[in-house]
Tab-separated table of all heavy atoms in Angstrom:
chain	number	residue	atom	x	y	z
A	1	ASP	N	17.788	5.523	14.907
A	1	ASP	CA	16.474	5.313	14.314
A	1	ASP	C	16.358	5.858	12.896
A	1	ASP	O	16.030	5.123	11.952
A	1	ASP	CB	15.412	5.952	15.208
A	1	ASP	CG	14.024	5.869	14.614
A	1	ASP	OD1	13.425	4.788	14.685
A	1	ASP	OD2	13.546	6.872	14.048
A	2	GLN	N	16.608	7.143	12.707
A	2	GLN	CA	16.380	7.728	11.389
A	2	GLN	C	17.365	7.209	10.353
A	2	GLN	O	17.046	7.155	9.159
A	2	GLN	CB	16.439	9.251	11.461
A	2	GLN	CG	15.961	9.914	10.174
A	2	GLN	CD	15.658	11.384	10.346
A	2	GLN	OE1	15.417	11.843	11.440
A	2	GLN	NE2	15.657	12.128	9.261
A	3	VAL	N	18.554	6.804	10.788
A	3	VAL	CA	19.531	6.239	9.862
A	3	VAL	C	18.975	4.980	9.212
A	3	VAL	O	19.003	4.819	7.982
A	3	VAL	CB	20.854	5.943	10.587
A	3	VAL	CG1	21.812	5.168	9.684
A	3	VAL	CG2	21.502	7.242	11.054
A	4	VAL	N	18.439	4.068	10.021
A	4	VAL	CA	17.935	2.827	9.433
A	4	VAL	C	16.600	3.041	8.727
A	4	VAL	O	16.284	2.338	7.761
A	4	VAL	CB	17.829	1.696	10.482
A	4	VAL	CG1	19.197	1.340	11.020
A	4	VAL	CG2	16.883	2.040	11.603
A	5	GLN	N	15.807	4.023	9.176
A	5	GLN	CA	14.592	4.342	8.424
A	5	GLN	C	14.961	4.798	7.013
A	5	GLN	O	14.293	4.445	6.035
A	5	GLN	CB	13.781	5.426	9.128
A	5	GLN	CG	12.989	4.953	10.341
A	5	GLN	CD	11.879	5.921	10.714
A	5	GLN	OE1	11.178	6.443	9.854
A	5	GLN	NE2	11.706	6.152	12.005
A	6	GLY	N	16.030	5.596	6.911
A	6	GLY	CA	16.442	6.077	5.597
A	6	GLY	C	17.015	4.981	4.727
A	6	GLY	O	16.611	4.807	3.569
A	7	ILE	N	17.942	4.191	5.265
A	7	ILE	CA	18.575	3.130	4.477
A	7	ILE	C	17.560	2.050	4.120
A	7	ILE	O	17.624	1.450	3.045
A	7	ILE	CB	19.766	2.527	5.247
A	7	ILE	CG1	20.846	3.588	5.446
A	7	ILE	CG2	20.357	1.332	4.495
A	7	ILE	CD1	22.018	3.121	6.277
A	8	GLY	N	16.600	1.823	5.021
A	8	GLY	CA	15.640	0.745	4.821
A	8	GLY	C	14.568	1.008	3.779
A	8	GLY	O	13.764	0.115	3.484
A	9	GLY	N	14.537	2.209	3.201
A	9	GLY	CA	13.596	2.472	2.117
A	9	GLY	C	12.283	3.091	2.533
A	9	GLY	O	11.592	3.696	1.707
A	10	GLY	N	11.904	2.935	3.791
A	10	GLY	CA	10.588	3.408	4.214
A	10	GLY	C	10.417	4.914	4.098
A	10	GLY	O	9.327	5.397	3.777
A	11	MET	N	11.496	5.657	4.335
A	11	MET	CA	11.379	7.119	4.258
A	11	MET	C	11.084	7.595	2.848
A	11	MET	O	10.491	8.663	2.651
A	11	MET	CB	12.647	7.797	4.780
A	11	MET	CG	12.699	7.937	6.291
A	11	MET	SD	14.158	8.859	6.870
A	11	MET	CE	13.852	10.483	6.143
A	12	SER	N	11.471	6.817	1.841
A	12	SER	CA	11.263	7.240	0.454
A	12	SER	C	9.795	7.235	0.055
A	12	SER	O	9.425	7.830	-0.963
A	12	SER	CB	12.055	6.343	-0.504
A	12	SER	OG	11.442	5.064	-0.629
A	13	ILE	N	8.952	6.563	0.842
A	13	ILE	CA	7.521	6.547	0.530
A	13	ILE	C	6.697	7.214	1.622
A	13	ILE	O	5.472	7.123	1.633
A	13	ILE	CB	7.004	5.107	0.293
A	13	ILE	CG1	7.262	4.220	1.521
A	13	ILE	CG2	7.649	4.503	-0.942
A	13	ILE	CD1	6.579	2.870	1.447
A	14	THR	N	7.373	7.892	2.547
A	14	THR	CA	6.680	8.575	3.636
A	14	THR	C	6.682	10.073	3.362
A	14	THR	O	7.716	10.647	3.023
A	14	THR	CB	7.360	8.288	4.982
A	14	THR	OG1	7.422	6.875	5.176
A	14	THR	CG2	6.582	8.897	6.128
A	15	GLY	N	5.539	10.705	3.515
A	15	GLY	CA	5.405	12.108	3.198
A	15	GLY	C	4.525	12.293	1.978
A	15	GLY	O	3.919	11.336	1.473
A	16	HIS	N	4.444	13.521	1.475
A	16	HIS	CA	3.520	13.826	0.389
A	16	HIS	C	4.186	13.992	-0.963
A	16	HIS	O	3.499	14.014	-1.984
A	16	HIS	CB	2.717	15.087	0.736
A	16	HIS	CG	1.729	14.857	1.831
A	16	HIS	ND1	0.466	14.347	1.614
A	16	HIS	CD2	1.820	15.045	3.176
A	16	HIS	CE1	-0.179	14.236	2.759
A	16	HIS	NE2	0.620	14.651	3.728
A	17	ASP	N	5.510	14.107	-1.002
A	17	ASP	CA	6.184	14.186	-2.296
A	17	ASP	C	7.638	13.778	-2.127
A	17	ASP	O	8.175	13.757	-1.022
A	17	ASP	CB	6.082	15.591	-2.889
A	17	ASP	CG	6.752	16.648	-2.014
A	17	ASP	OD1	7.996	16.674	-1.962
A	17	ASP	OD2	6.024	17.431	-1.374
A	18	ALA	N	8.268	13.460	-3.262
A	18	ALA	CA	9.636	12.942	-3.238
A	18	ALA	C	10.657	13.986	-2.824
A	18	ALA	O	11.794	13.640	-2.482
A	18	ALA	CB	9.987	12.386	-4.619
A	19	GLU	N	10.290	15.252	-2.830
A	19	GLU	CA	11.220	16.312	-2.467
A	19	GLU	C	11.319	16.518	-0.965
A	19	GLU	O	12.197	17.252	-0.496
A	19	GLU	CB	10.799	17.625	-3.138
A	19	GLU	CG	10.808	17.578	-4.662
A	19	GLU	CD	12.164	17.195	-5.215
A	19	GLU	OE1	13.165	17.776	-4.753
A	19	GLU	OE2	12.219	16.304	-6.081
A	20	HIS	N	10.409	15.942	-0.220
A	20	HIS	CA	10.397	16.148	1.230
A	20	HIS	C	10.216	14.807	1.953
A	20	HIS	O	9.168	14.543	2.521
A	20	HIS	CB	9.280	17.111	1.628
A	20	HIS	CG	9.391	18.455	0.986
A	20	HIS	ND1	8.820	18.737	-0.236
A	20	HIS	CD2	10.036	19.580	1.386
A	20	HIS	CE1	9.089	20.002	-0.564
A	20	HIS	NE2	9.824	20.530	0.407
A	21	PRO	N	11.221	13.921	1.905
A	21	PRO	CA	11.093	12.641	2.612
A	21	PRO	C	10.903	12.867	4.104
A	21	PRO	O	11.439	13.812	4.671
A	21	PRO	CB	12.417	11.930	2.322
A	21	PRO	CG	13.381	13.039	1.996
A	21	PRO	CD	12.560	14.095	1.317
A	22	ALA	N	10.121	12.010	4.713
A	22	ALA	CA	9.817	12.165	6.138
A	22	ALA	C	9.987	10.834	6.850
A	22	ALA	O	9.594	9.785	6.332
A	22	ALA	CB	8.383	12.674	6.325
A	23	ARG	N	10.564	10.895	8.035
A	23	ARG	CA	10.615	9.678	8.849
A	23	ARG	C	9.260	9.457	9.498
A	23	ARG	O	8.452	10.384	9.636
A	23	ARG	CB	11.693	9.791	9.926
A	23	ARG	CG	11.389	10.790	11.033
A	23	ARG	CD	12.443	10.707	12.133
A	23	ARG	NE	12.203	11.655	13.201
A	23	ARG	CZ	11.413	11.411	14.250
A	23	ARG	NH1	10.771	10.259	14.358
A	23	ARG	NH2	11.248	12.329	15.188
A	24	ALA	N	8.997	8.241	9.907
A	24	ALA	CA	7.794	7.961	10.673
A	24	ALA	C	7.862	8.711	11.992
A	24	ALA	O	8.916	8.761	12.639
A	24	ALA	CB	7.659	6.462	10.923
A	25	GLY	N	6.758	9.312	12.416
A	25	GLY	CA	6.752	10.063	13.669
A	25	GLY	C	7.089	9.196	14.860
A	25	GLY	O	7.776	9.632	15.795
A	26	ILE	N	6.616	7.960	14.851
A	26	ILE	CA	7.009	6.986	15.866
A	26	ILE	C	8.356	6.394	15.446
A	26	ILE	O	8.535	6.051	14.274
A	26	ILE	CB	5.947	5.874	15.979
A	26	ILE	CG1	4.636	6.461	16.506
A	26	ILE	CG2	6.421	4.740	16.878
A	26	ILE	CD1	3.476	5.492	16.449
A	27	PRO	N	9.326	6.263	16.345
A	27	PRO	CA	10.651	5.777	15.960
A	27	PRO	C	10.660	4.281	15.652
A	27	PRO	O	11.139	3.456	16.432
A	27	PRO	CB	11.520	6.104	17.184
A	27	PRO	CG	10.567	6.127	18.330
A	27	PRO	CD	9.281	6.665	17.776
A	28	ILE	N	10.127	3.935	14.481
A	28	ILE	CA	9.948	2.514	14.144
A	28	ILE	C	11.275	1.814	13.897
A	28	ILE	O	11.328	0.577	13.961
A	28	ILE	CB	9.016	2.331	12.935
A	28	ILE	CG1	9.592	3.041	11.688
A	28	ILE	CG2	7.614	2.828	13.255
A	28	ILE	CD1	8.838	2.702	10.423
A	29	GLY	N	12.334	2.557	13.612
A	29	GLY	CA	13.634	1.911	13.463
A	29	GLY	C	14.086	1.297	14.772
A	29	GLY	O	14.485	0.129	14.837
A	30	ASP	N	14.013	2.068	15.845
A	30	ASP	CA	14.368	1.572	17.173
A	30	ASP	C	13.339	0.584	17.703
A	30	ASP	O	13.685	-0.516	18.161
A	30	ASP	CB	14.480	2.743	18.151
A	30	ASP	CG	15.816	3.457	18.046
A	30	ASP	OD1	16.835	2.780	17.852
A	30	ASP	OD2	15.838	4.687	18.149
A	31	LEU	N	12.069	0.973	17.671
A	31	LEU	CA	11.035	0.133	18.275
A	31	LEU	C	10.871	-1.178	17.513
A	31	LEU	O	10.615	-2.223	18.113
A	31	LEU	CB	9.709	0.888	18.336
A	31	LEU	CG	9.714	2.161	19.189
A	31	LEU	CD1	8.339	2.819	19.175
A	31	LEU	CD2	10.142	1.874	20.622
A	32	GLY	N	11.032	-1.127	16.185
A	32	GLY	CA	10.968	-2.366	15.409
A	32	GLY	C	12.062	-3.333	15.812
A	32	GLY	O	11.837	-4.534	15.953
A	33	GLY	N	13.288	-2.804	16.028
A	33	GLY	CA	14.375	-3.670	16.487
A	33	GLY	C	14.061	-4.304	17.821
A	33	GLY	O	14.339	-5.487	18.048
A	34	GLY	N	13.464	-3.521	18.733
A	34	GLY	CA	13.101	-4.065	20.039
A	34	GLY	C	12.054	-5.157	19.945
A	34	GLY	O	12.152	-6.187	20.621
A	35	MET	N	11.047	-4.938	19.108
A	35	MET	CA	9.979	-5.941	18.983
A	35	MET	C	10.497	-7.244	18.377
A	35	MET	O	10.170	-8.341	18.851
A	35	MET	CB	8.832	-5.373	18.150
A	35	MET	CG	8.013	-4.330	18.882
A	35	MET	SD	6.524	-3.824	17.991
A	35	MET	CE	7.234	-2.759	16.745
A	36	PHE	N	11.320	-7.140	17.322
A	36	PHE	CA	11.860	-8.355	16.729
A	36	PHE	C	12.815	-9.060	17.685
A	36	PHE	O	12.923	-10.294	17.658
A	36	PHE	CB	12.550	-8.038	15.403
A	36	PHE	CG	11.608	-7.916	14.242
A	36	PHE	CD1	11.184	-6.677	13.803
A	36	PHE	CD2	11.130	-9.042	13.597
A	36	PHE	CE1	10.304	-6.550	12.735
A	36	PHE	CE2	10.259	-8.939	12.521
A	36	PHE	CZ	9.838	-7.684	12.090
A	37	ALA	N	13.500	-8.285	18.540
A	37	ALA	CA	14.364	-8.910	19.546
A	37	ALA	C	13.549	-9.771	20.495
A	37	ALA	O	13.954	-10.894	20.852
A	37	ALA	CB	15.122	-7.840	20.323
A	38	VAL	N	12.394	-9.279	20.915
A	38	VAL	CA	11.531	-10.070	21.795
A	38	VAL	C	11.103	-11.360	21.101
A	38	VAL	O	11.134	-12.448	21.697
A	38	VAL	CB	10.296	-9.249	22.224
A	38	VAL	CG1	9.290	-10.124	22.949
A	38	VAL	CG2	10.721	-8.092	23.123
A	39	MET	N	10.723	-11.265	19.834
A	39	MET	CA	10.333	-12.481	19.096
A	39	MET	C	11.490	-13.464	19.026
A	39	MET	O	11.308	-14.680	19.202
A	39	MET	CB	9.877	-12.114	17.684
A	39	MET	CG	8.636	-11.267	17.610
A	39	MET	SD	8.202	-10.914	15.883
A	39	MET	CE	7.730	-9.182	16.002
């Protein structure tokens, strides 16, 4: 999950400043893959 969140760019805009990147609290890397698989 966090690997693809990081590579995918989303972590670079998550959090309050560029010095402390944060992943989404919900594992959207994994869950997003599951949802698109269903589609």
